[in-house]
């Protein structure tokens, strides 16, 4: 438990940042655990990232989360990047160490896996081929964590094939980058389907994907969480597939951050989920 005289501080840096649900999530935990502290949105322009990160220690922040557009740029600013974040090519969380140096970590893959495990406890990444749609930042965390959990074949479909191929080259086996137009047919023997594109998010059209060939036993997940049930998840649910929405990923990635910042173990409870859901 934190020192009773200390006021704990953390935040999220982004540009824009006011849409972030992270303050609701983290401030729920401060209140729930009866801890004096706060979590603030920090609107930081790209050219302000380095001075903002360097200001964390003198201001007494334990650390910060990073969101668009800072996740990659921070790699060249922090003093150390943990090996997982290096592999994913992005930092989602910065921790201020006692000597004021900064270490960058990435908890998005942890969030993705633990969200699924909370809702589907018998889920296994090595149950069969996994189809991943997209090759952006979210896809990197997803592909990394699936490979870590033993996935043997990750079929990666991205509108821009070259971006998928770059990910395949970096990650190596089991990632295979495949042409965008093959995505429908390649679902035939998939055990799992993950959308990591921004398609289906509020303001964007639905992901164009025909589910006809997907086995009814396959698990369908989306990392988009606004809306909570994307058109993809609704279509999957209607045809009998189990589904996991993207909100759990956001909630679970915050747990290792609290452990690193404050030394506190937190829980993702139905009440926390309801509180954040109410803001979507
Ligand atoms: N639940 C969570 O905790 C969590 C975490 C991270 C991200 N997300 C969500 O995941 C989504 C993607 O985020 P990101 O950071 O990975 O973004 P990103 O790095 O910008 O990648 C965007 C991806 O979407 C694809 N895409 C964009 N427009 C498309 C279109 N019209 N048709 C097909 N594909 C299209 C891109 O393909 P190209 O390469 O061809 O452009 C790329 O693969 C966002 O909605 C974000 O909010 C959620």
């Amino acid at each position: 438990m934190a020192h009773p005289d200390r006021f704990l501080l953390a935040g999220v840096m982004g540009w824009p940042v006011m849409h972030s649900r992270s303050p609701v999530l983290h401030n729920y935990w401060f209140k729930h655990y009866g801890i004096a502290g706060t979590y603030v949105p920090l609107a930081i322009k790209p050219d302000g990232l380095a001075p903002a990160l360097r200001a964390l220690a003198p201001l007494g922040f334990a650390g910060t989360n990073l969101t668009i557009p800072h996740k990659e740029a921070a790699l060249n600013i922090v003093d150390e990047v943990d090996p997982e974040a290096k592999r994913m090519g992005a930092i989602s969380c910065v921790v201020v160490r006692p000597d004021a140096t900064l270490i960058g970590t990435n908890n998005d893959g942890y969030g993705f896996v633990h969200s699924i495990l909370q809702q589907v406890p018998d889920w296994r990444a090595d149950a069969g081929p996994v189809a991943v749609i997209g090759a952006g930042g979210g896809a990197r965390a997803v592909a990394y964590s699936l490979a870590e959990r033993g996935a043997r074949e990750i079929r990666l479909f991205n509108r821009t094939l070259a971006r998928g191929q770059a990910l395949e080259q970096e990650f190596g086996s089991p990632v295979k980058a495949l042409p965008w137009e093959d995505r429908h047919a390649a679902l035939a023997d998939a055990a799992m389907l993950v959308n990591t594109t921004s398609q289906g998010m509020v303001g964007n059209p639905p992901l164009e994907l025909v589910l006809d060939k997907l086995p009814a036993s396959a698990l369908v997940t989306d990392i988009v969480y606004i809306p909570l049930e994307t058109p993809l998840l609704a279509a999957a649910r209607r045809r009998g597939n189990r589904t996991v929405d993207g909100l759990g990923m956001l909630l679970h990635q915050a747990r290792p951050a609290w452990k690193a910042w404050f030394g506190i173990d937190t829980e993702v409870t139905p009440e926390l989920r309801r509180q954040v859901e109410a803001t979507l």
Side-chain angles (χ1 to χ4, degrees):
M1 191 53 81
H3 191 283
D5 288 341
R6 246 184 94 202
F7 189 79
L8 303 182
L9 275 173
V12 53
M13 294 183 185
W15 186 261
V17 77
M18 290 316 291
H19 66 284
S20 171
R21 271 29 180 217
S22 291
V24 178
L25 146 62
H26 291 272
N27 287 318
Y28 171 87
W29 279 336
F30 280 122
K31 205 169 158 210
H32 179 75
Y33 295 111
I35 294 164
T38 196
Y39 182 103
V40 288
L42 298 162
I44 307 293
K45 289 183 185 168
D47 62 0
L49 182 63
L53 286 174
R54 289 295 162 204
L56 288 171
L59 287 170
F61 276 66
T64 187
N65 286 123
L66 298 175
T67 186
I68 291 171
H70 300 316
K71 286 186 172 188
E72 289 86 24
L75 288 166
N76 299 317
I77 299 171
V78 297
D79 302 294
E80 189 184 330
V81 181
D82 104 324
E84 287 199 345
K86 205 173 275 176
R87 195 96 202 279
M88 290 184 218
I91 292 173
S92 69
C93 176
V94 174
V95 181
V96 179
R97 290 190 288 211
D99 65 356
T101 57
L102 305 174
I103 176 157
T105 65
N106 194 320
N107 303 320
D108 287 346
Y110 174 95
F112 174 70
V113 161
H114 288 269
S115 165
I116 295 172
L117 286 173
Q118 189 174 41
Q119 294 177 61
V120 187
D122 63 345
W123 172 72
R124 291 182 61 108
D126 61 358
V130 185
V132 173
I133 315 293
R140 287 175 162 269
V142 165
Y144 175 85
S145 60
L146 286 171
E148 278 294 297
R149 301 287 299 194
R152 285 180 294 234
E153 188 183 347
I154 300 171
R155 299 172 183 164
L156 194 86
F157 300 93
N158 195 46
R159 178 182 59 172
T160 313
L161 180 62
R163 210 172 170 198
Q165 286 169 331
L167 213 150
E168 174 184 320
Q169 280 220 324
E170 260 178 67
F171 282 40
S173 159
V175 176
K176 306 258 174 308
L178 298 162
W180 183 238
E181 49 286 2
D182 294 354
R183 65 195 183 286
H184 319 285
L187 299 181
D189 56 347
M192 183 177 181
L193 164 65
V194 191
N195 174 48
T196 72
T197 73
S198 46
Q199 299 301 93
M201 191 177 169
V202 64
N204 289 345
L207 176 71
E208 279 180 42
L209 185 62
V210 180
L211 298 183
D212 294 357
K213 292 208 161 57
L214 184 72
S217 57
L219 176 67
V220 179
T221 71
D222 203 321
I223 72 166
V224 170
Y225 59 89
I226 307 175
L228 210 49
E229 186 174 72
T230 58
L232 172 68
L233 292 185
R237 179 176 51 78
R238 280 196 298 271
R239 64 192 295 284
N241 292 94
R242 287 186 301 181
T243 61
V244 174
D245 64 54
L247 181 57
M249 178 175 174
L250 178 78
L251 302 179
H252 281 272
Q253 59 78 35
R255 295 186 63 236
W258 265 61
K259 188 73 180 165
W261 293 335
F262 310 131
I264 295 170
D265 287 310
T266 49
E267 256 189 292
V268 173
T269 57
E271 170 62 13
L272 167 62
R273 216 186 132 86
R274 270 195 298 277
Q275 296 264 333
V276 181
E277 253 185 66
T279 72
L280 297 182

